[in-house]
Amino acid sequence: MSDEELSQLGRAMSSLTEDCMRDAGRSNYRALPQLPKAGPKTLTDQRYGSHDAVLAGTRGYHPDAAEKAAHDAAVEAMVASGTRGEDAVAENGCGQQAKQRIGDAQAGFQLAERLANEAFLKAKQEPEVTAAFTQWSACMKESGYNYREPLDASDDPKFGREVTKAEIDTALTDLKCRTRTDVAWIWYEAEARLQKDAAEKNAQALHAARTNLDTTVKNISAVLAGKR
């Protein structure tokens, strides 16, 4: 689903759940708002690691400060207003009814997501990718860093909740080595090739999943248009 379709899904689910809760006598119930994004903007943004020099120079591997603050505030508000007891039971039941009305959006793209994730892992084993990893790792070692693969740097457990100079220095060196070795592009090309192969082999199942997802999208549009 596109970002807009996912947003519409959230609004439709909220609308149906609120109506159901109101019918159940809980007129004060309000569905929780959708969380603002913090971090990657697309499916490929940061999929292969850091690539934003400005962000790396100020935040290391952390997301934008303003985005992170907005996201955290929304999460806190969600926790503070969370339903309890009978309300939670009723909300769950109403949510299930809403899903039945709209369709299970997750089921529509589970296959595509699984194939994409498998291709991501398989691509790491491709000869050109392992060679690029080796070159990137050697570049990092020139500056005193010992990482085997690009994502090992951003996943380093020593980098915690707070941004540190050590993290920023690592991220900037990481970015320099990525540019020198072209590792992200090489990795991307390998994964794209594997994804295309997987799509061809699973064309019939993917077509059926897309058809089901199209039905879900139509149901979402109908709900938002008030056609219940």
Side-chain angles (χ1 to χ4, degrees), residues 41-136:
K41 304 297 186 297
T42 68
L43 291 175
T44 51
D45 185 21
Q46 298 184 26
R47 184 173 180 86
Y48 312 102
S50 175
H51 58 84
D52 187 329
V54 175
L55 188 62
T58 57
R59 298 284 292 167
Y61 295 111
H62 282 68
D64 177 81
E67 290 180 357
K68 183 69 165 57
H71 180 272
D72 290 350
V75 171
E76 290 179 5
M78 179 180 294
V79 172
S81 62
T83 55
R84 296 291 185 270
E86 292 182 0
D87 277 349
V89 174
E91 182 186 37
N92 182 63
C94 286
Q96 291 301 317
Q97 287 187 35
K99 183 180 289 189
Q100 290 176 1
R101 168 67 180 85
I102 292 174
D104 189 351
Q106 179 67 27
F109 54 80
Q110 280 180 335
L111 174 60
E113 191 174 56
R114 177 174 64 79
L115 293 175
N117 291 337
E118 288 175 354
F120 176 83
L121 295 176
K122 289 178 181 178
K124 294 171 64 175
Q125 308 303 319
E126 294 293 289
E128 69 272 26
V129 178
T130 59
F133 282 4
T134 299
Q135 293 175 355
W136 173 88

Side-chain angles (χ1 to χ4, degrees), residues 78-226:
M78 179 180 294
V79 172
S81 62
T83 55
R84 296 291 185 270
E86 292 182 0
D87 277 349
V89 174
E91 182 186 37
N92 182 63
C94 286
Q96 291 301 317
Q97 287 187 35
K99 183 180 289 189
Q100 290 176 1
R101 168 67 180 85
I102 292 174
D104 189 351
Q106 179 67 27
F109 54 80
Q110 280 180 335
L111 174 60
E113 191 174 56
R114 177 174 64 79
L115 293 175
N117 291 337
E118 288 175 354
F120 176 83
L121 295 176
K122 289 178 181 178
K124 294 171 64 175
Q125 308 303 319
E126 294 293 289
E128 69 272 26
V129 178
T130 59
F133 282 4
T134 299
Q135 293 175 355
W136 173 88
S137 180
C139 177
M140 293 293 285
K141 283 182 180 179
E142 291 176 6
S143 298
Y145 299 103
N146 187 25
Y147 296 112
R148 190 172 67 88
E149 298 180 0
L151 297 186
D152 291 345
S154 57
D155 292 341
D156 194 326
K158 72 181 180 184
F159 301 139
R161 292 177 58 86
E162 301 300 323
V163 180
T164 64
K165 182 180 184 302
E167 180 183 341
I168 290 174
D169 290 344
T170 303
L172 289 175
T173 304
D174 180 3
L175 198 60
K176 178 194 72 175
C177 290
R178 287 170 181 278
T179 302
R180 183 192 297 183
T181 61
D182 216 13
V183 64
W185 178 250
I186 293 171
W187 192 355
Y188 162 79
E189 285 192 314
E191 185 186 1
R193 183 181 68 253
L194 291 168
Q195 284 192 6
K196 289 178 180 177
D197 290 344
E200 291 176 0
K201 292 176 181 177
N202 295 272
Q204 186 173 353
L206 286 169
H207 177 72
R210 179 70 251 184
T211 300
N212 290 336
L213 192 56
D214 287 342
T215 299
T216 297
V217 171
K218 289 179 181 178
N219 292 338
I220 290 170
S221 298
V223 169
L224 294 179

